[in-house]
Amino acid sequence: MTISLLEFVAILTLIAVIVALVAFVRLANRITRTAREVEHATKRVAALTPNVQALLDNGEAELVELRALTRTTSQIAGDLRAVTGEARAATAHVVSLLEGHATSRYAAIFAGARAGIDVLRRVKSGNGSEVIDDNRVGIPAGR
């Protein structure tokens, strides 16, 4: 029994059709699985979209507030620079005045101490306070 060329080509064609059919079935199964996964992913994205939108809206509102806070902070920093400059100028003026009058400064301190001691000396003993003794404070008698 010999196989003719036509039968041989028919057998090869049948084998090729069977192999193609098996490949097509496998490809169809893969495409079906991929379609299901894409559908599942689409549903998850659709479910997450409102949350993401709310998060974006929240972030935008926070960004607006941050910009306002930054503007306010910049204004405060500018005001602080101005106040610092004025304080620096006033301090420089006071220092220049005091440098020339070093002896006046010590006289002012002494006068302040003397006034404080005078106030303490004049405290009345009737209200539960103690009368300051001149000799304990170190003030000469007759003062």
Side-chain angles (χ1 to χ4, degrees):
M1 184 161 156
T2 61
I3 300 179
S4 68
L5 184 57
L6 186 61
E7 290 174 340
F8 182 70
V9 171
I11 291 173
L12 282 180
T13 304
L14 181 63
I15 291 173
V17 168
I18 291 173
V19 169
L21 184 64
V22 168
F24 178 73
V25 168
R26 290 182 72 191
L27 180 64
N29 285 338
R30 285 185 182 170
I31 289 174
T32 303
R33 257 185 297 178
T34 303
R36 275 191 230 129
E37 289 175 7
V38 166
E39 181 181 5
H40 180 68
T42 304
K43 286 180 182 177
R44 289 190 67 193
V45 167
L48 290 175
T49 299
N51 292 338
V52 170
Q53 185 63 40
L55 183 64
L56 288 175
D57 292 342
N58 229 1
E60 186 177 345
E62 293 295 326
L63 187 59
V64 167
E65 288 180 18
L66 182 62
R67 285 182 182 147
L69 180 63
T70 303
R71 267 193 303 275
T72 304
T73 305
S74 294
Q75 291 171 352
I76 290 171
D79 293 345
L80 186 61
R81 278 189 215 106
V83 168
T84 304
E86 290 176 13
R88 185 178 297 131
T91 304
H93 181 68
V94 168
V95 167
S96 68
L97 288 176
L98 289 179
E99 283 176 348
H101 300 38
T103 56
S104 297
R105 187 173 23 174
Y106 294 118
I109 291 172
F110 183 70
R114 182 186 256 169
I117 291 172
D118 284 343
V119 167
L120 288 175
R121 221 177 343 155
R122 292 183 186 152
V123 173
K124 294 185 181 179
S125 62
N127 61 5
S129 298
E130 201 176 298
V131 175
I132 305 295
D133 185 5
D134 287 342
N135 293 330
R136 285 192 323 188
V137 178
I139 297 176
R143 172 79 193 125

